[in-house]
Amino acid sequence: MAKLIAIAHQKGGVGKSTLALNLAYRFSKEVKTALTDTDPQGSTMQLRDIVEGIDILEYEGTSSLKTKPYDVIFIDTPPYLIENMIPLFLASDFVLIPTKAGVTDIMAIRATIELVKEAQKKKPELKAGIVLNMVKPRANITSEAKKELEVFDLPILAEIRDRVVFNNTFLSGGISTGSDQQAIQELEQLTKEILNLL
Ligand SMILES: Nc1ncnc2c1ncn2[C@@H]1O[C@H](COP(=O)(O)OP(=O)(O)O)[C@@H](O)[C@H]1O
Ligand SMILES: [Mg+2]
């Protein structure tokens, strides 16, 4: 059965779709990987005819996804809390919550985390992790953000910095095919951590 990794945060623009695609490319080097989006109008589905080297599946619910011949399927979600978020989390093996380090982003993360916690009560084996994305090279802001996030008692995974490579290298292979070695390194680290937790 395929393991499902849902990527969620009710706020738009925190990097859900960007990380979904780049992680899917990176994971595909290790295990058989696909990508989907609960929102048929979402950016991941719009990329379907453009990107190469990764299978982007139509979303037909989690039960059908689990039977697909993949080891891992990333599920991108829209930037609002869909009402069936809890069933999605309950069907998932891992929920990845990307966030920016800004005050409003951290405030907005609470709603998503509460849903994850609610799902974990019913399904204790559900794993989750927060990833600070688009981190600016002002470390004090990030450490403050981390302090705010620690109260939620979820693993805070490898952080991804704000890098132009994410805006211009995605159509075939993601940032791993680009020349930004530090970005590649960060993605490697994040991949390793998620694989370890899965
Ligand atoms: N680490 C990063 N560094 C620079 N830009 C990023 C990074 N992650 C995402 N972006 C950019 O931020 C914007 C929003 O990302 P997106 O993945 O669409 O967010 P979401 O899916 O959460 O709405 C996009 O323009 C994307 O290219
Ligand atoms: Mg998106």
Side-chain angles (χ1 to χ4, degrees), residues 16-17 43 76-77:
K16 289 181 292 296
S17 303
S43 45
D76 193 11
T77 62

Side-chain angles (χ1 to χ4, degrees), residues 11-18 37 39 42-44 76-79:
K11 207 155 183 278
V14 295
K16 289 181 292 296
S17 303
T18 304
D37 191 338
D39 179 4
S43 45
T44 293
D76 193 11
T77 62

Side-chain angles (χ1 to χ4, degrees), residues 98-112:
T99 184
K100 292 203 235 175
V103 180
T104 53
D105 304 282
I106 305 281
M107 274 164 60
I109 207 174
R110 186 179 290 273
T112 307

